[in-house]
Amino acid sequence: MRDRFGRSLTGLRISVTDDCNLNCFYCHREGCPAGSRRMSPEEIGRIAGLAAEFGVRKVKLTGGEPLMRKDITDVIRSIAETEVSEISMTTNGTLLADVAVELADAGLDRVNISLDTLNNETYRRITGEDMLENVLSGIEAAIAADLTPVKINMVVLAGINDGEIERMISYAFRQGAILQLIELIDVGGGGPSPYHHDLAEVERELSRRALAVETREHMNARKKFILPDGEVEVVRPMHNSEFCMHCTRLRLTSGGYLKPCLMRNDNLVDVLTPLREGMMDEAREAFRRAVALREPYFKPMGG
Ligand code: SAM
């Protein structure tokens, strides 16, 4: 299904919980207001099934920390029963080592693991916890369980970890993982963050070293740099109309609301209530309404 800007809908990003065991100081919490409702695995599966009817092929589980849910394998299993063709998860990796095989067996295809630094002190400063070693074990376990390609998400923070990009590239390539460099998204509304680091220069430097540079059309036109020893992707959403024009995803909050845009909370559409009341036509209508409400947050100048 296409929205009024001609953008197709191919992805659904589901927040399965608001709970997290880390407290990253910059976290946007997927732009979700704290919800009082909690969806069961079966309800999540049914909503994913509806999404598939509207063209969604890829589902990403996020949060909060998805692995805080004890029934996360049931959630994955119920999505795996739908027409969705790829199920992935974004996780902080701290709880991953013990469950990676179980997740893969349930139908999880791959993981993105958030890791901003390889320095214990910096990790504590960013997350408030001392769990770097657990994440490194989680990355190894994910690769061993074939939850691949594993992507390592590094949010680049000025004055905190922006001197660590080369070290992170070497680490990711040694593991056989893809490094995803993410520009900080300011969601506070209080003006630009002092930690914001524009990744334009990093992109130029990677272009110089790359054997090839690809643009991932269905992934917000993000750039992928093929280096001699591995791949680096760069995600630059802020004030980037190109990023928004290539957005193909809808979000589902942990409370069961369809969310057309990370940056907005004024146009959520309740899909859980009609689903719970067995009103499937209304639940489908909620999808149509949410797609109709999709619009690029950052628009081209003059547009
Ligand atoms: N707890 C899981 C995790 O750590 O991956 C899932 C939730 S977390 C919100 C999902 C991703 O969003 C992480 O890779 C995180 O680094 C990224 N993220 C969080 N806040 C961000 C921000 N303000 N700007 C850019 N990326 C952000």
Side-chain angles (χ1 to χ4, degrees):
M1 188 179 181
R2 287 186 181 269
D3 64 21
R4 61 204 161 94
F5 298 88
R7 304 174 305 172
S8 56
L9 176 69
T10 59
L12 182 67
R13 194 169 171 104
I14 306 178
S15 286
V16 293
T17 178
D18 296 332
D19 298 341
C20 192
N21 57 342
L22 298 183
N23 192 18
C24 303
F25 71 83
Y26 61 77
C27 187
H28 55 36
R29 295 166 209 275
E30 303 291 347
C32 288
S36 50
R37 300 188 300 190
R38 180 185 167 96
M39 296 178 287
S40 69
E42 194 235 340
E43 287 168 341
I44 294 173
R46 287 173 66 200
I47 295 173
L50 285 179
E53 287 180 24
F54 287 93
V56 164
R57 289 295 164 263
K58 293 183 175 187
V59 165
K60 171 149 280 157
L61 304 178
T62 180
E65 170 50 40
L67 297 181
M68 294 292 281
R69 271 189 81 136
K70 299 281 175 267
D71 58 358
I72 191 68
T73 48
D74 296 333
V75 171
I76 295 166
R77 255 187 231 106
S78 84
I79 300 171
E81 283 169 10
T82 70
E83 295 300 307
V84 162
S85 55
E86 183 188 278
I87 309 172
S88 64
M89 177 189 287
T90 298
T91 169
N92 63 33
T94 56
L95 305 169
L96 185 55
D98 290 341
V99 295
V101 171
E102 225 178 291
L103 298 176
D105 288 348
L108 188 68
D109 294 299
R110 55 175 203 85
V111 283
N112 284 33
I113 301 174
S114 303
L115 178 65
D116 298 331
T117 176
L118 291 166
N119 177 292
N120 274 305
E121 181 51 41
T122 312
Y123 189 86
R124 208 175 304 121
R125 181 169 172 204
I126 294 172
T127 67
E129 297 293 336
D130 205 357
M131 300 185 88
L132 175 58
E133 290 305 320
N134 306 55
V135 184
L136 300 182
S137 306
I139 291 172
E140 284 172 24
I143 290 167
D146 209 15
L147 290 169
T148 54
V150 167
K151 290 191 186 177
I152 296 176
N153 285 4
M154 174 186 186
V155 177
V156 181
L157 303 162
I160 296 198
N161 67 351
D162 51 353
E164 266 197 83
I165 294 177
E166 282 308 318
R167 191 173 174 209
M168 290 291 292
I169 292 177
S170 306
Y171 167 76
F173 289 3
R174 265 201 318 279
Q175 305 304 314
I178 296 172
L179 182 67
Q180 194 155 247
L181 298 172
I182 304 173
E183 206 170 86
L184 182 68
I185 300 171
D186 300 326
V187 282
S193 162
Y195 300 109
H196 191 265
H197 179 122
D198 187 329
L199 292 180
E201 181 49 39
V202 172
E203 279 196 332
R204 279 193 285 277
E205 170 57 20
L206 288 170
S207 292
R208 282 193 279 274
R209 288 156 55 180
L211 304 175
V213 182
E214 293 170 6
T215 301
R216 303 195 60 203
E217 280 296 319
H218 285 284
M219 293 295 286
N220 302 91
R222 66 178 62 162
K223 292 229 167 61
K224 181 186 205 164
F225 300 87
I226 319 288
L227 302 185
D229 300 319
E231 293 173 9
V232 178
E233 289 185 19
V234 179
V235 185
R236 294 178 59 204
M238 286 305 282
H239 306 288
N240 186 346
S241 57
E242 192 60 10
F243 184 92
C244 290
M245 269 321 288
H246 290 85
C247 174
T248 53
R249 69 166 67 125
L250 205 55
R251 294 163 178 270
L252 177 65
T253 71
S254 62
Y257 292 87
L258 293 170
K259 180 170 161 65
C261 177
L262 166 72
M263 304 294 280
R264 292 177 59 174
N265 273 322
D266 60 348
N267 59 359
L268 306 186
V269 181
D270 186 1
V271 66
L272 186 59
T273 298
L275 187 96
R276 283 189 171 165
E277 291 173 356
M279 297 161 72
M280 296 314 286
D281 283 346
E282 278 76 359
R284 285 189 185 89
E285 192 45 40
F287 263 94
R288 277 186 212 100
R289 230 178 21 255
V291 172
L293 286 168
R294 265 169 45 81
E295 78 178 271
Y297 186 78
F298 296 114
K299 299 190 177 62
M301 297 291 269

